[in-house]
Amino acid sequence: MRRIVLPSFIIVVAIILIARIFYLQIIDDSLKLQSENNAIKKVFDFPERGYIYDRNGELLVANQPSYDIMVIPREIKNFDTLDFCNSLKIDKEEFIKKVKKATDYSPRLPSVFLSELSKREYAAFQEKERKFEGFYTQKRALRDYQVAFGANIFGFITQVNEAIINKSPYYNSGDLIGKQGVEQEYEDILRGVKGVKYLLRNKYNKVIGPYKEGKFDTLAQQGKDLTLTIDYELQKYGTELMVNKRGGIVAIEPKTGEILALVSAPTFDPALLVGRQRSKNYTALYRDSIANPLFDRGLLAQYPPGSPFKILTGLIGLQEEVINTETGFVCHHGFSYGAGRFMKCHDSGLSKLNNGIYNSCNTYFCSVYRNTIDKFKNSSKGVDVWSDHVKSFGLGNYMGTDLPIGKKGNIPTSKTYQRIYPNGGWKGSTIISNGIGQGEVLTTPLQLANMMAVVANKGYFFTPHIVKKIKDKPLDKKYTTKNISTVDSKYFDPVIEGLADVYNKGTAASLKVKDMQICGKTGTAENKIRVGGKTYQLKDHSIFVAFAPKENPTIAIAVFVENGYWGNRWAGPIATLMIEKYVNGEITRTDLENRMLNGSLEDEYKKIENIIYQRFTETVTVDNTKQSLTLKEEETN
């Protein structure tokens, strides 16, 4: 039996292998297309990226044609190199360098020799293209920005690097990919799908027609369009208001979590990162380490929130029942919280919840915070309960937005203070600064805008997001799912009344808009920098948070202006103008508008530059002196 089975098995396997080889070699040509076949030329047809619109259908980002010079090193024949270089306005050294780079990538495969030629440059080269064997032109689409703002929102497109090519088989050398902003986050949707044509070549390497009559060719599929949540007019207005200032503005529609404006200042024209000067322009922006225009302050800047954080202190105090609306604390122009420790306050007299909010009384909110922590048997439990409440408003978390960057800020827990005070002995009064938004508390402008959305909604929020609609594709469900805070809805009404009175008779009374009820809170955050081991006190940051109208709010906003002195000097007017622009569509507070549009904080920022320059100069002088002394010692020896 074995004599029959074994030979039969071998014969069957051999027949199967021969049949498979016959199929692959004679019938199925697909593997030929995957190899570096000399007789078949693979040409890609690049699709247009999807267009980007604002929430009202305003076109923000379109496309423009561009052309790349491609090279296949092994196909380069002898030609007039000088004529070639003159046609493309490059020198011979650059020519040699680029050919070597392409050869190192692959002698057989095409790669980009020179990218992003204009129509005029392409036309000049096309006339002579037939003379330069091994080179050909590849049409692509570059971004065409219809607006001169929003660079932090859009991101940009750039060529893929080796790591991306190795990671994703979709990309080849010279392909473009989205970086930063929605271009990166929605790359798979915006890029579309490349088309491919297979062309047959004869023994002289000339294309003689489509391979297999185009049987394996595919058409390019254009990328899907995006509709952003951004309001074009509001974003533009916010950008104008922040000229000659540094900081961020984030505005959110409370009922949906849609981001209406995301302004980072200073900013730049997104068109700077398009075309052959992109790399040079990006390098210049990147090296500006003081103004830092590439740093999205709305998403990445982490500031002490200051007095706006008192809103949460009050809400948590109500929820934990350590206060009610009639609980009062007497303020004597400050709060004493230990031997020789006194926190100043501009308020005085009896403070309750309402006037504590609109007068921004430190004594009131420090007392509420201390009572909240000390309510529990030990401070660790108290801080963790407080921390959980705060985090339910979206603070201390990345929040899960549809943007590729962000910071989570910092909301301390008991572990924080166990590290700081390993021997224990800390309590509510030890960490009292947390109650007024200082201490270890850090937030981003996005988080504070979201906090105000929770207050406007009386206890819930939707994850902030910047894409409203994708053509032929639903949004992720997480952007339509409610996130519920740990504070009961019944406690929000008295806090909202206090926020309305901030405009009616409190710290923002000078910013009041006729016939509009705005609920807001001024804030000032201490500002220091450390350079060369030395700490410098700078002008405080100006902060303002608000939502409007009081009933059925349609916008919640947070504004940070670096070195802006106090809340209602810069941030408050900007927030008020943004709200009036969005809600009413026109500005009645032209006095505020003129002051903000024409105002500048550049003198304050120059002080920072001078400090850095001075310390740098001192360091260089010290280093040079040390080097001189060392040299003299060597000469003596």
Side-chain angles (χ1 to χ4, degrees):
M1 187 70 177
R2 288 183 179 177
R3 292 179 181 179
I4 298 173
V5 172
L6 186 58
S8 299
F9 176 76
I10 294 172
I11 292 170
V12 170
V13 171
I15 291 171
I16 292 172
L17 290 174
I18 292 169
R20 180 61 177 163
I21 292 169
F22 176 81
Y23 175 77
L24 294 175
Q25 293 287 334
I26 307 301
I27 299 174
D28 185 6
D29 293 322
S30 61
L31 290 182
K32 290 182 182 179
L33 304 178
Q34 297 174 26
S35 66
E36 294 183 0
N37 196 310
N38 291 336
I40 300 171
K41 182 178 181 180
K42 191 176 182 180
V43 178
F44 290 107
D45 183 13
F46 291 90
E48 278 198 275
R49 287 179 78 85
Y51 284 39
I52 300 177
Y53 299 86
D54 92 326
R55 65 189 295 109
N56 300 311
E58 185 81 26
L59 180 61
L60 303 176
V61 185
N63 298 303
Q64 58 181 309
S66 176
Y67 304 87
D68 292 346
I69 304 297
M70 308 296 292
V71 61
I72 303 175
R74 66 172 291 166
E75 296 181 9
I76 296 176
K77 306 296 182 184
N78 290 329
F79 59 82
D80 189 339
T81 307
L82 184 61
D83 186 23
F84 179 90
C85 292
N86 289 338
S87 298
L88 295 174
K89 294 182 174 57
I90 61 174
D91 55 37
K92 190 173 180 180
E93 288 72 21
E94 187 177 356
F95 172 84
I96 295 170
K97 181 180 178 182
K98 288 181 179 294
V99 171
K100 183 180 183 305
K101 181 179 179 182
T103 305
D104 291 342
Y105 168 69
S106 172
R108 296 169 177 260
L109 294 177
S111 58
V112 175
F113 177 84
L114 195 63
S115 64
E116 299 173 11
L117 272 67
S118 66
K119 287 183 180 179
R120 181 176 296 180
E121 291 171 323
Y122 166 68
F125 179 79
Q126 191 181 35
E127 291 179 3
K128 303 179 179 181
E129 184 177 346
R130 58 182 177 77
K131 296 165 54 178
F132 308 132
E133 290 192 56
F135 294 87
Y136 67 94
T137 54
Q138 174 76 65
K139 184 178 179 180
R140 300 179 192 270
L142 295 182
R143 282 314 206 185
D144 184 13
Y145 295 100
Q146 309 300 299
V147 295
F149 53 83
N152 61 313
I153 296 171
F154 306 136
F156 58 95
I157 56 174
T158 186
Q159 287 187 25
V160 294
N161 56 32
E162 198 80 24
I164 294 172
I165 294 171
N166 294 334
K167 185 178 179 181
S168 174
Y170 177 85
Y171 297 103
N172 298 304
S173 177
D175 283 3
L176 301 175
I177 190 171
K179 284 288 186 183
Q180 301 180 11
V182 294
E183 294 282 15
Q184 177 176 325
E185 190 69 15
Y186 289 92
E187 163 68 10
D188 292 350
I189 291 168
L190 286 167
R191 76 185 181 194
V193 179
K194 287 183 289 190
V196 183
K197 290 181 181 179
Y198 298 96
L199 304 176
L200 192 62
R201 296 186 285 197
N202 62 18
K203 62 181 182 180
Y204 300 107
N205 207 29
K206 301 296 184 183
V207 172
I208 58 176
Y211 176 71
K212 290 288 184 179
E213 298 180 347
K215 176 183 176 181
F216 298 101
D217 294 354
T218 59
L219 295 174
Q221 299 175 30
Q222 183 172 347
K224 295 183 184 299
D225 296 342
L226 293 185
T227 298
L228 302 185
T229 61
I230 293 295
D231 183 289
Y232 160 81
E233 292 291 346
L234 192 66
Q235 180 76 23
K236 179 184 177 184
Y237 191 53
T239 303
E240 292 168 350
L241 291 172
M242 289 296 290
V243 169
N244 293 324
K245 308 166 193 73
R246 296 177 189 171
I249 304 173
V250 182
I252 296 175
E253 184 178 68
K255 292 293 187 289
T256 62
E258 294 176 356
I259 298 173
L260 302 172
L262 181 61
V263 177
S264 179
T267 187
F268 58 93
D269 187 339
L272 287 174
L273 300 185
V274 177
R276 291 171 66 180
Q277 297 299 312
R278 180 190 66 233
S279 180
K280 177 182 176 182
N281 292 337
Y282 183 86
T283 301
L285 292 167
Y286 179 81
R287 287 178 175 172
D288 186 355
S289 58
I290 297 177
N292 222 340
L294 292 174
F295 183 72
D296 191 332
R297 286 164 163 85
L299 302 175
L300 296 173
Q302 299 177 104
Y303 307 92
S307 291
F309 195 79
K310 294 172 181 177
I311 298 168
L312 292 188
T313 301
L315 286 168
I316 295 168
L318 291 170
Q319 180 67 35
E320 290 299 325
E321 298 181 341
V322 297
I323 58 165
N324 58 43
T325 56
E326 294 303 313
T327 303
F329 301 95
V330 177
C331 178
H332 299 289
H333 294 290
F335 177 73
S336 179
Y337 58 101
R341 295 184 175 183
F342 187 77
M343 183 184 297
K344 293 181 179 180
C345 179
H346 58 259
D347 198 16
S348 64
L350 182 65
S351 284
K352 297 182 181 180
L353 180 64
N354 184 264
N355 67 317
I357 292 173
Y358 72 71
N359 283 330
S360 198
C361 179
N362 285 340
T363 297
Y364 179 85
F365 289 100
C366 285
S367 300
V368 174
Y369 178 76
R370 181 184 59 189
N371 291 355
T372 300
I373 304 303
D374 294 347
K375 167 188 172 181
F376 298 90
K377 289 183 179 180
N378 61 72
S379 298
S380 291
K381 174 65 175 176
V383 166
D384 286 339
V385 169
W386 166 83
S387 181
D388 289 342
H389 282 309
V390 173
K391 289 177 180 177
S392 75
F393 284 74
L395 277 65
N397 298 302
Y398 288 108
M399 300 191 72
T401 66
D402 58 341
L403 287 161
I405 58 172
K407 291 287 187 180
K408 69 175 185 176
N410 186 60
I411 301 301
T413 65
S414 60
K415 292 181 180 179
T416 306
Y417 298 109
Q418 286 163 10
R419 288 194 299 270
I420 296 173
Y421 303 100
N423 298 321
W426 60 276
K427 54 185 178 179
S429 59
T430 311
I431 54 175
I432 201 70
S433 295
N434 288 339
I436 58 169
Q438 298 279 352
E440 284 67 51
V441 177
L442 292 174
T443 59
T444 65
L446 174 66
Q447 290 172 333
L448 280 190
N450 187 71
M451 179 192 80
M452 292 308 287
V454 181
V455 178
N457 292 333
K458 299 181 182 179
Y460 71 88
F461 70 94
F462 291 96
T463 300
H465 52 285
I466 205 158
V467 169
K468 184 179 180 70
K469 183 172 65 177
I470 305 171
K471 186 178 181 181
D472 303 324
K473 194 178 189 309
L475 278 183
D476 193 312
K477 287 184 178 179
K478 73 177 181 179
Y479 302 124
T480 57
T481 302
K482 277 186 179 181
N483 300 279
I484 311 297
S485 79
T486 55
V487 175
D488 296 339
S489 59
K490 65 182 179 181
Y491 294 121
F492 285 87
D493 283 328
V495 171
I496 290 172
E497 288 299 324
L499 295 174
D501 283 339
V502 169
Y503 270 89
N504 293 331
K505 52 187 174 182
T507 54
S510 62
L511 306 177
K512 189 174 177 60
V513 176
K514 185 179 180 181
D515 299 327
M516 183 188 294
Q517 282 195 305
I518 305 176
C519 300
K521 185 75 189 74
T522 54
T524 304
E526 194 174 23
N527 178 25
K528 298 176 182 178
I529 61 167
R530 191 168 178 81
V531 182
K534 186 175 179 181
T535 301
Y536 295 86
Q537 182 74 50
L538 303 174
K539 292 297 181 184
D540 294 337
H541 295 317
S542 175
I543 310 168
F544 200 87
V545 297
F547 64 83
K550 179 183 174 185
E551 302 298 331
N552 193 27
T554 57
I555 182 172
I557 193 168
V559 179
F560 274 77
V561 179
E562 295 178 6
N563 308 84
Y565 294 78
W566 56 84
N568 71 350
R569 179 161 176 172
W570 291 102
I574 289 172
T576 302
L577 291 167
M578 290 284 284
I579 288 172
E580 189 178 15
K581 178 75 170 178
Y582 185 71
V583 176
N584 290 343
E586 58 182 5
I587 299 298
T588 62
R589 290 300 307 268
T590 54
D591 57 323
L592 295 181
E593 183 179 56
N594 291 333
R595 184 156 62 87
M596 292 301 105
L597 291 176
N598 298 319
S600 174
L601 285 166
E602 286 299 317
D603 287 343
E604 290 298 329
Y605 304 137
K606 280 188 173 64
K607 293 176 184 177
I608 302 173
E609 295 176 22
N610 290 337
I611 290 171
I612 294 172
Y613 176 76
Q614 180 183 349
R615 292 298 295 169
F616 173 78
T617 304
E618 290 173 358
T619 302
V620 170
T621 301
V622 170
D623 288 345
N624 288 341
T625 302
K626 287 179 179 178
Q627 291 174 15
S628 178
L629 288 172
T630 303
L631 183 62
K632 287 179 180 178
E633 288 174 2
E634 290 174 351
E635 289 174 347
T636 303
N637 293 334

